[in-house]
Short mmCIF file of all heavy atoms in Angstrom, two decimals:
data_model
loop_
_atom_site.label_atom_id
_atom_site.label_comp_id
_atom_site.label_asym_id
_atom_site.label_seq_id
_atom_site.Cartn_x
_atom_site.Cartn_y
_atom_site.Cartn_z
N ASP A 1 0.83 -1.21 -0.02
CA ASP A 1 -0.02 0.00 0.01
C ASP A 1 0.89 1.22 0.00
O ASP A 1 0.65 2.18 -0.79
CB ASP A 1 -0.93 0.00 1.19
CG ASP A 1 -1.94 -1.10 1.14
OD1 ASP A 1 -2.24 -1.56 0.07
OD2 ASP A 1 -2.46 -1.47 2.20
N ASN A 2 1.88 1.26 0.90
CA ASN A 2 2.79 2.41 0.91
C ASN A 2 3.65 2.50 -0.36
O ASN A 2 4.03 3.55 -0.80
CB ASN A 2 3.68 2.36 2.14
CG ASN A 2 2.94 2.69 3.39
OD1 ASN A 2 1.95 3.46 3.37
ND2 ASN A 2 3.37 2.17 4.51
N LYS A 3 4.08 1.36 -0.86
CA LYS A 3 4.90 1.33 -2.10
C LYS A 3 4.13 1.91 -3.28
O LYS A 3 4.69 2.72 -4.04
CB LYS A 3 5.38 -0.08 -2.40
CG LYS A 3 6.28 -0.15 -3.58
CD LYS A 3 6.82 -1.50 -3.74
CE LYS A 3 7.83 -1.69 -4.92
NZ LYS A 3 7.76 -0.67 -5.94
N THR A 4 2.86 1.57 -3.42
CA THR A 4 2.02 2.09 -4.52
C THR A 4 1.92 3.62 -4.32
O THR A 4 2.10 4.39 -5.29
CB THR A 4 0.70 1.43 -4.51
OG1 THR A 4 0.85 0.04 -4.68
CG2 THR A 4 -0.17 2.01 -5.67
N TRP A 5 1.64 4.09 -3.11
CA TRP A 5 1.51 5.51 -2.84
C TRP A 5 2.82 6.22 -3.23
O TRP A 5 2.78 7.21 -3.89
CB TRP A 5 1.21 5.69 -1.38
CG TRP A 5 1.25 7.10 -0.91
CD1 TRP A 5 0.26 8.08 -1.09
CD2 TRP A 5 2.31 7.72 -0.24
NE1 TRP A 5 0.67 9.24 -0.54
CE2 TRP A 5 1.97 9.08 -0.02
CE3 TRP A 5 3.55 7.33 0.22
CZ2 TRP A 5 2.77 9.99 0.64
CZ3 TRP A 5 4.38 8.24 0.86
CH2 TRP A 5 3.96 9.56 1.03
N HIS A 6 3.97 5.62 -2.85
CA HIS A 6 5.27 6.17 -3.15
C HIS A 6 5.52 6.24 -4.66
O HIS A 6 5.94 7.31 -5.20
CB HIS A 6 6.33 5.43 -2.45
CG HIS A 6 7.75 5.83 -2.76
ND1 HIS A 6 8.46 5.28 -3.76
CD2 HIS A 6 8.47 6.84 -2.25
CE1 HIS A 6 9.63 5.89 -3.86
NE2 HIS A 6 9.65 6.84 -2.96
N ASP A 7 5.27 5.12 -5.33
CA ASP A 7 5.54 5.03 -6.78
C ASP A 7 4.68 6.07 -7.59
O ASP A 7 5.19 6.73 -8.44
CB ASP A 7 5.25 3.65 -7.28
CG ASP A 7 6.25 2.63 -6.75
OD1 ASP A 7 7.30 3.07 -6.24
OD2 ASP A 7 5.98 1.44 -6.88
N VAL A 8 3.39 6.19 -7.25
CA VAL A 8 2.55 7.07 -7.93
C VAL A 8 3.00 8.53 -7.66
O VAL A 8 3.06 9.38 -8.55
CB VAL A 8 1.01 6.89 -7.58
CG1 VAL A 8 0.15 7.98 -8.19
CG2 VAL A 8 0.57 5.54 -8.01
N GLY A 9 3.30 8.83 -6.40
CA GLY A 9 3.72 10.15 -6.00
C GLY A 9 5.04 10.56 -6.67
O GLY A 9 5.20 11.71 -7.14
N VAL A 10 5.98 9.66 -6.72
CA VAL A 10 7.29 9.97 -7.40
C VAL A 10 7.05 10.23 -8.90
O VAL A 10 7.58 11.14 -9.48
CB VAL A 10 8.27 8.81 -7.17
CG1 VAL A 10 9.48 8.97 -8.12
CG2 VAL A 10 8.75 8.79 -5.69
N TRP A 11 6.19 9.41 -9.53
CA TRP A 11 5.91 9.57 -10.97
C TRP A 11 5.27 10.90 -11.23
O TRP A 11 5.67 11.67 -12.14
CB TRP A 11 5.06 8.43 -11.47
CG TRP A 11 4.81 8.49 -12.94
CD1 TRP A 11 5.67 8.03 -13.94
CD2 TRP A 11 3.68 9.06 -13.59
NE1 TRP A 11 5.06 8.27 -15.17
CE2 TRP A 11 3.86 8.90 -14.94
CE3 TRP A 11 2.52 9.66 -13.15
CZ2 TRP A 11 2.93 9.32 -15.93
CZ3 TRP A 11 1.58 10.06 -14.04
CH2 TRP A 11 1.80 9.92 -15.44
N ILE A 12 4.29 11.33 -10.35
CA ILE A 12 3.59 12.60 -10.56
C ILE A 12 4.57 13.73 -10.30
O ILE A 12 4.54 14.75 -11.05
CB ILE A 12 2.38 12.65 -9.64
CG1 ILE A 12 1.31 11.75 -10.20
CG2 ILE A 12 1.87 14.11 -9.52
CD1 ILE A 12 0.11 11.60 -9.26
N SER A 13 5.46 13.67 -9.34
CA SER A 13 6.40 14.74 -9.09
C SER A 13 7.47 14.86 -10.17
O SER A 13 7.81 15.95 -10.56
CB SER A 13 7.05 14.60 -7.72
OG SER A 13 7.91 13.51 -7.72
N LYS A 14 7.87 13.75 -10.76
CA LYS A 14 8.85 13.83 -11.84
C LYS A 14 8.20 14.40 -13.13
O LYS A 14 8.94 15.01 -13.88
CB LYS A 14 9.42 12.42 -12.12
CG LYS A 14 10.45 11.99 -11.10
CD LYS A 14 11.06 10.62 -11.54
CE LYS A 14 12.11 10.20 -10.55
NZ LYS A 14 12.66 8.88 -10.92
N CYS A 15 6.97 14.06 -13.35
CA CYS A 15 6.30 14.49 -14.57
C CYS A 15 5.37 15.69 -14.40
O CYS A 15 4.49 15.91 -15.16
CB CYS A 15 5.50 13.28 -15.13
SG CYS A 15 6.45 11.84 -15.45
N GLY A 16 5.56 16.45 -13.35
CA GLY A 16 4.65 17.53 -12.94
C GLY A 16 4.38 18.54 -14.05
O GLY A 16 3.21 18.89 -14.29
N ARG A 17 5.42 18.95 -14.71
CA ARG A 17 5.23 20.02 -15.70
C ARG A 17 4.49 19.45 -16.92
O ARG A 17 3.61 20.12 -17.50
CB ARG A 17 6.58 20.54 -16.17
CG ARG A 17 7.17 21.48 -15.13
CD ARG A 17 8.42 22.11 -15.62
NE ARG A 17 8.99 23.00 -14.58
CZ ARG A 17 10.12 23.53 -14.62
NH1 ARG A 17 10.91 23.28 -15.64
NH2 ARG A 17 10.52 24.30 -13.65
N ALA A 18 4.79 18.25 -17.34
CA ALA A 18 4.13 17.60 -18.45
C ALA A 18 2.66 17.30 -18.07
O ALA A 18 1.77 17.41 -18.89
CB ALA A 18 4.80 16.33 -18.86
N ILE A 19 2.42 16.89 -16.81
CA ILE A 19 1.06 16.63 -16.37
C ILE A 19 0.19 17.86 -16.42
O ILE A 19 -0.99 17.81 -16.80
CB ILE A 19 1.12 16.01 -14.95
CG1 ILE A 19 1.62 14.59 -14.96
CG2 ILE A 19 -0.28 16.15 -14.27
CD1 ILE A 19 1.85 14.02 -13.60
N ASP A 20 0.75 19.00 -16.04
CA ASP A 20 -0.01 20.24 -16.06
C ASP A 20 -0.46 20.62 -17.46
O ASP A 20 -1.43 21.37 -17.60
CB ASP A 20 0.77 21.39 -15.40
CG ASP A 20 0.84 21.22 -13.87
OD1 ASP A 20 -0.08 20.55 -13.35
OD2 ASP A 20 1.73 21.79 -13.27
N LYS A 21 0.27 20.22 -18.43
CA LYS A 21 -0.12 20.56 -19.85
C LYS A 21 -1.12 19.60 -20.47
O LYS A 21 -1.66 19.94 -21.51
CB LYS A 21 1.13 20.60 -20.72
CG LYS A 21 2.16 21.66 -20.28
CD LYS A 21 3.38 21.57 -21.13
CE LYS A 21 4.43 22.57 -20.63
NZ LYS A 21 5.64 22.48 -21.33
N LYS A 22 -1.44 18.51 -19.78
CA LYS A 22 -2.33 17.50 -20.32
C LYS A 22 -3.77 17.78 -19.97
O LYS A 22 -4.03 18.37 -18.93
CB LYS A 22 -1.96 16.13 -19.87
CG LYS A 22 -0.64 15.62 -20.37
CD LYS A 22 -0.37 14.23 -19.93
CE LYS A 22 1.00 13.81 -20.40
NZ LYS A 22 0.94 12.81 -21.45
N ASP A 23 -4.64 17.28 -20.81
CA ASP A 23 -6.05 17.27 -20.56
C ASP A 23 -6.38 16.24 -19.48
O ASP A 23 -5.66 15.26 -19.32
CB ASP A 23 -6.81 16.97 -21.85
CG ASP A 23 -8.33 17.01 -21.67
OD1 ASP A 23 -8.79 18.09 -21.31
OD2 ASP A 23 -8.98 15.97 -21.91
N ARG A 24 -7.45 16.44 -18.74
CA ARG A 24 -7.77 15.52 -17.63
C ARG A 24 -7.99 14.10 -18.15
O ARG A 24 -7.50 13.13 -17.51
CB ARG A 24 -9.02 16.02 -16.92
CG ARG A 24 -8.83 17.30 -16.13
CD ARG A 24 -10.08 17.70 -15.37
NE ARG A 24 -11.27 17.71 -16.21
CZ ARG A 24 -11.70 18.75 -16.93
NH1 ARG A 24 -10.97 19.81 -16.97
NH2 ARG A 24 -12.82 18.68 -17.64
N LYS A 25 -8.68 13.93 -19.24
CA LYS A 25 -8.98 12.59 -19.77
C LYS A 25 -7.69 11.89 -20.22
O LYS A 25 -7.51 10.70 -20.04
CB LYS A 25 -9.99 12.66 -20.92
CG LYS A 25 -11.39 13.04 -20.36
CD LYS A 25 -12.35 13.03 -21.48
CE LYS A 25 -13.68 13.63 -20.98
NZ LYS A 25 -14.72 12.70 -20.88
N ASP A 26 -6.78 12.62 -20.88
CA ASP A 26 -5.52 12.03 -21.30
C ASP A 26 -4.70 11.61 -20.08
O ASP A 26 -4.04 10.60 -20.10
CB ASP A 26 -4.71 13.05 -22.16
CG ASP A 26 -5.44 13.38 -23.47
OD1 ASP A 26 -6.25 12.55 -23.91
OD2 ASP A 26 -5.13 14.45 -24.04
N LEU A 27 -4.74 12.43 -19.06
CA LEU A 27 -3.96 12.14 -17.86
C LEU A 27 -4.53 10.85 -17.13
O LEU A 27 -3.78 10.03 -16.65
CB LEU A 27 -3.99 13.30 -16.85
CG LEU A 27 -3.19 13.19 -15.64
CD1 LEU A 27 -1.74 12.80 -15.94
CD2 LEU A 27 -3.23 14.54 -14.90
N ILE A 28 -5.84 10.74 -17.09
CA ILE A 28 -6.45 9.54 -16.54
C ILE A 28 -5.99 8.29 -17.33
O ILE A 28 -5.65 7.28 -16.72
CB ILE A 28 -8.00 9.66 -16.52
CG1 ILE A 28 -8.45 10.58 -15.42
CG2 ILE A 28 -8.63 8.28 -16.33
CD1 ILE A 28 -9.88 10.90 -15.39
N ALA A 29 -6.04 8.36 -18.66
CA ALA A 29 -5.59 7.23 -19.46
C ALA A 29 -4.15 6.92 -19.21
O ALA A 29 -3.79 5.68 -19.13
CB ALA A 29 -5.81 7.54 -20.92
N GLU A 30 -3.27 7.90 -19.08
CA GLU A 30 -1.90 7.65 -18.79
C GLU A 30 -1.63 7.02 -17.46
O GLU A 30 -0.83 6.14 -17.31
CB GLU A 30 -1.07 8.94 -19.00
CG GLU A 30 0.38 8.69 -18.99
CD GLU A 30 1.19 9.89 -19.39
OE1 GLU A 30 0.62 10.85 -19.97
OE2 GLU A 30 2.42 9.91 -19.19
N LEU A 31 -2.34 7.55 -16.46
CA LEU A 31 -2.15 6.98 -15.09
C LEU A 31 -2.64 5.53 -15.05
O LEU A 31 -2.04 4.66 -14.42
CB LEU A 31 -2.97 7.79 -14.08
CG LEU A 31 -2.24 8.93 -13.42
CD1 LEU A 31 -3.21 9.82 -12.66
CD2 LEU A 31 -1.12 8.50 -12.58
N ALA A 32 -3.78 5.20 -15.69
CA ALA A 32 -4.29 3.84 -15.70
C ALA A 32 -3.37 2.93 -16.45
O ALA A 32 -3.20 1.75 -16.02
CB ALA A 32 -5.69 3.87 -16.39
N ASP A 33 -2.70 3.37 -17.50
CA ASP A 33 -1.72 2.55 -18.21
C ASP A 33 -0.43 2.33 -17.40
O ASP A 33 0.13 1.29 -17.37
CB ASP A 33 -1.37 3.18 -19.56
CG ASP A 33 -2.51 3.08 -20.55
OD1 ASP A 33 -3.40 2.24 -20.33
OD2 ASP A 33 -2.49 3.82 -21.55
N GLN A 34 -0.01 3.43 -16.74
CA GLN A 34 1.27 3.39 -15.97
C GLN A 34 1.13 2.52 -14.74
O GLN A 34 2.09 1.88 -14.36
CB GLN A 34 1.68 4.82 -15.67
CG GLN A 34 3.03 4.94 -15.06
CD GLN A 34 4.12 4.80 -16.08
OE1 GLN A 34 3.93 5.02 -17.23
NE2 GLN A 34 5.34 4.49 -15.66
N PHE A 35 -0.04 2.65 -14.07
CA PHE A 35 -0.21 1.91 -12.80
C PHE A 35 -1.49 1.11 -12.87
O PHE A 35 -2.60 1.54 -12.49
CB PHE A 35 -0.36 2.93 -11.61
CG PHE A 35 0.86 3.76 -11.51
CD1 PHE A 35 0.87 5.06 -11.97
CD2 PHE A 35 2.03 3.34 -10.92
CE1 PHE A 35 2.04 5.88 -11.88
CE2 PHE A 35 3.19 4.11 -10.77
CZ PHE A 35 3.16 5.40 -11.25
N PRO A 36 -1.39 -0.13 -13.34
CA PRO A 36 -2.59 -1.00 -13.51
C PRO A 36 -3.27 -1.41 -12.19
O PRO A 36 -4.42 -1.81 -12.20
CB PRO A 36 -2.07 -2.23 -14.24
CG PRO A 36 -0.63 -2.17 -14.18
CD PRO A 36 -0.21 -0.81 -13.87
N VAL A 37 -2.60 -1.20 -11.07
CA VAL A 37 -3.21 -1.57 -9.78
C VAL A 37 -4.30 -0.57 -9.37
O VAL A 37 -5.18 -0.89 -8.62
CB VAL A 37 -2.11 -1.68 -8.67
CG1 VAL A 37 -1.55 -0.30 -8.35
CG2 VAL A 37 -2.66 -2.35 -7.46
N LEU A 38 -4.25 0.66 -9.93
CA LEU A 38 -5.29 1.66 -9.56
C LEU A 38 -6.61 1.26 -10.11
O LEU A 38 -6.72 0.82 -11.24
CB LEU A 38 -4.86 3.02 -10.19
CG LEU A 38 -3.54 3.61 -9.68
CD1 LEU A 38 -3.30 4.94 -10.41
CD2 LEU A 38 -3.50 3.81 -8.22
N ASN A 39 -7.65 1.36 -9.27
CA ASN A 39 -8.97 1.02 -9.70
C ASN A 39 -9.94 2.20 -9.67
O ASN A 39 -11.06 2.09 -10.14
CB ASN A 39 -9.56 -0.19 -8.95
CG ASN A 39 -9.73 0.09 -7.47
OD1 ASN A 39 -9.45 1.17 -7.00
ND2 ASN A 39 -10.21 -0.92 -6.78
N GLU A 40 -9.50 3.39 -9.27
CA GLU A 40 -10.30 4.56 -9.31
C GLU A 40 -9.40 5.79 -9.35
O GLU A 40 -8.45 5.90 -8.56
CB GLU A 40 -11.20 4.64 -8.10
CG GLU A 40 -12.27 5.72 -8.17
CD GLU A 40 -13.16 5.67 -7.00
OE1 GLU A 40 -13.64 4.59 -6.62
OE2 GLU A 40 -13.42 6.75 -6.38
N ILE A 41 -9.67 6.68 -10.33
CA ILE A 41 -8.82 7.91 -10.48
C ILE A 41 -9.82 9.04 -10.66
O ILE A 41 -10.70 8.99 -11.45
CB ILE A 41 -7.93 7.81 -11.69
CG1 ILE A 41 -6.95 6.63 -11.55
CG2 ILE A 41 -7.10 9.09 -11.86
CD1 ILE A 41 -6.22 6.35 -12.84
N THR A 42 -9.61 10.11 -9.87
CA THR A 42 -10.36 11.37 -10.06
C THR A 42 -9.35 12.52 -10.24
O THR A 42 -8.41 12.61 -9.42
CB THR A 42 -11.23 11.68 -8.87
OG1 THR A 42 -12.13 10.57 -8.59
CG2 THR A 42 -12.08 12.89 -9.08
N ILE A 43 -9.58 13.32 -11.26
CA ILE A 43 -8.71 14.45 -11.52
C ILE A 43 -9.56 15.68 -11.59
O ILE A 43 -10.51 15.78 -12.30
CB ILE A 43 -7.92 14.27 -12.82
CG1 ILE A 43 -7.00 13.06 -12.70
CG2 ILE A 43 -7.08 15.51 -13.12
CD1 ILE A 43 -6.16 12.75 -13.86
N ARG A 44 -9.22 16.70 -10.79
CA ARG A 44 -9.90 17.98 -10.76
C ARG A 44 -8.88 19.09 -11.19
O ARG A 44 -7.76 19.05 -10.70
CB ARG A 44 -10.42 18.29 -9.35
CG ARG A 44 -11.54 17.38 -8.95
CD ARG A 44 -12.12 17.83 -7.59
NE ARG A 44 -13.26 17.09 -7.23
CZ ARG A 44 -13.27 15.94 -6.59
NH1 ARG A 44 -12.17 15.38 -6.22
NH2 ARG A 44 -14.40 15.27 -6.31
#
């Protein structure tokens, strides 16, 4: 549980500038592809 939290957080912090330029739907698709263990994603 902590490892998943860490891995997602590190990925988001490394890709922060690129993430900010993406559309919400594109970002959801990329997160779901990058981390298949995630079963719910909300982006505001």
